[in-house]
Amino acid sequence: AKISLRVPPNRFGGDGSGSRRCTVLTSRLNTPNLFGQPTVLEATLRVHIPGCWATRIAQNGHVLRIVDRKIVKGSAMESLVEIGGRAGDPHWAQLSDMILSQPKVSDFRSLMTDAEHILGIVRCEDCLSCRTLVTSDCFVTSAVSREGAIEWTLRFDDKRKIAKLVGELQRARIPVDVARIASIRGKPMLTPRQSEVLRLALGMGYFDFPKRAGIEALAQRLGVSKSTVAETLHRAERKVLTTFVERNG
């Protein structure tokens, strides 16, 4: 079996004009750790789930973060989600109705809401793609919407686990791109708080051009001062950039 990977520019040479695709035999991923010490790996999957309520929300431009998921009775699954938008958006007022209109959604409960955010629980029935992700041998650390797709960040200790997950998604005819696979060595690069702020900033569009959210919006979401967010974000960015330069020369 083969998996199509999207690799960043210049990873394998080239003029840097854009990302490339390469095809990798799954046997290349089906290799246990050979370095003695346990290694934690992290991958980012871009998943386009046809007919999924989460994909529909992402395509409408809303910021979606799946906080947690659990399997309930039978084949049903519940997701705790945080959705961001703007009160002036014509889709925002009808967001609940739009979620409930999706084929596999049986219930949506809004827990907290304000002019730009909704925290709620979505219940889906018989969603094969969601069950495949949740019941895999990988640990989901983040699930956010980006550019009309859902980006799943997963951690695992054996490449065979991510190969199995990707293979199952492909057999279910679910489009998936392996955007990144990296080794996490030693101590975590970021503190839990720095990681939370950086992921939130990425999900809300702080790094987009033009920006979809600024420091003030991040501070409001986190319930802290603008100076605290700015300092935490600056430290996180510095650590990420320093580590990138040290590893890539």
Side-chain angles (χ1 to χ4, degrees):
K2 299 179 179 180
I3 296 176
S4 177
L5 303 182
R6 186 188 300 278
V7 298
N10 291 328
R11 179 66 58 86
F12 300 105
D15 57 7
S17 59
S19 63
R20 297 168 176 260
R21 281 187 175 277
C22 65
T23 300
V24 178
L25 292 172
T26 54
S27 58
R28 294 282 295 276
L29 294 179
N30 296 341
T31 305
N33 176 33
L34 302 177
F35 298 101
Q37 296 296 325
T39 300
V40 177
L41 301 169
E42 185 175 79
T44 299
L45 305 184
R46 287 183 54 81
V47 184
H48 307 257
I49 306 174
C52 176
W53 62 272
T55 301
R56 176 73 181 278
I57 288 176
Q59 290 174 342
N60 281 349
H62 297 298
V63 177
L64 170 68
R65 184 168 71 96
I66 301 175
V67 181
D68 199 5
R69 276 180 164 169
K70 65 177 183 178
I71 298 175
V72 289
K73 293 182 179 179
S75 59
M77 178 170 295
E78 289 188 346
S79 302
L80 178 64
V81 300
E82 184 179 28
I83 306 170
R86 297 185 181 279
D89 186 334
H91 299 290
W92 185 243
Q94 292 82 33
L95 188 60
S96 295
D97 293 337
M98 187 270 287
I99 294 174
L100 286 169
S101 69
Q102 301 307 300
K104 296 184 182 295
V105 175
S106 60
D107 187 33
F108 173 66
R109 305 192 304 278
S110 177
L111 305 178
M112 297 176 60
T113 183
D114 58 29
E116 296 186 350
H117 308 100
I118 291 178
L119 180 68
I121 297 175
V122 179
R123 181 183 176 112
C124 292
E125 306 290 338
D126 195 27
C127 180
L128 175 61
S129 56
C130 294
R131 290 183 67 88
T132 300
L133 287 162
V134 172
T135 60
S136 75
D137 294 325
C138 303
F139 296 94
V140 179
T141 61
S142 173
V144 297
S145 63
R146 187 160 183 81
E147 298 177 357
I150 306 299
E151 285 194 352
W152 295 82
T153 301
L154 309 101
R155 290 190 178 181
F156 45 95
D157 59 354
D158 190 326
K159 288 183 179 180
R160 289 174 291 189
K161 294 180 178 179
I162 194 69
K164 178 183 176 182
L165 172 58
V166 172
E168 290 176 348
L169 290 171
Q170 290 181 331
R171 283 191 292 274
R173 300 185 182 279
I174 298 169
V176 54
D177 288 329
V178 182
R180 180 182 66 94
I181 296 180
S183 174
I184 301 174
R185 301 179 183 276
K187 296 181 179 179
M189 183 192 311
L190 304 177
T191 67
R193 185 59 168 176
Q194 289 171 345
S195 179
E196 177 188 10
V197 172
L198 193 59
R199 290 182 186 278
L200 180 63
L202 186 63
M204 291 182 63
Y206 176 81
F207 297 104
D208 290 359
F209 183 80
K211 285 188 178 182
R212 292 189 289 115
I215 290 293
E216 184 174 357
L218 295 175
Q220 289 178 351
R221 176 73 67 87
L222 293 165
V224 298
S225 68
K226 291 189 291 184
S227 60
T228 297
V229 173
E231 180 181 357
T232 304
L233 194 57
H234 176 73
R235 291 180 183 274
E237 289 175 319
R238 181 178 177 82
K239 284 186 178 181
V240 170
L241 291 172
T242 299
T243 301
F244 175 82
V245 171
E246 288 176 349
R247 290 180 180 177
N248 293 274

